[in-house]
């Protein structure tokens, strides 16, 4: 579905902040799974920190 928006913010060469806004699809869980899949597909180990601000707005800090 086309629900909400995602914004990728450059932090540095090994980190991105992903801002999910108005995502009504359990962004906290789906977002972590998608980030894990991207890291795995790229052959990278990393960490994903999640900061929900509302039920539909979540920030993900992804480091590898």
């Amino acid at each position: 579905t086309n629900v909400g928006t995602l914004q990728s913010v450059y932090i540095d060469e090994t980190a991105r902040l992903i801002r999910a806004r108005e995502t009504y699809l359990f962004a906290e869980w789906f977002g972590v799974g998608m980030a894990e899949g991207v890291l795995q597909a790229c052959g990278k180990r990393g960490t994903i920190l999640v900061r929900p601000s509302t039920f539909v707005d979540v920030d993900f800090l992804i480091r590898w």
Side-chain angles (χ1 to χ4, degrees):
T1 67
N2 290 330
V3 180
T5 61
L6 294 176
Q7 178 187 20
S8 175
V9 179
Y10 178 86
I11 302 297
D12 61 35
E13 294 174 355
T14 60
R16 297 295 183 282
L17 174 67
I18 305 297
R19 293 182 176 147
R21 296 296 179 263
E22 296 185 18
T23 54
Y24 295 89
L25 298 172
F26 306 102
E28 245 177 285
W29 299 282
F30 283 120
V32 170
M34 286 186 277
E36 288 174 336
V38 170
L39 288 170
Q40 183 178 12
C42 293
K44 301 287 184 181
R45 294 185 59 149
T47 59
I48 303 156
L49 301 176
V50 181
R51 184 181 69 184
S53 53
T54 70
F55 179 69
V56 296
D57 300 322
V58 182
D59 290 339
F60 302 94
L61 178 62
I62 305 167
R63 292 194 173 276
W64 61 92

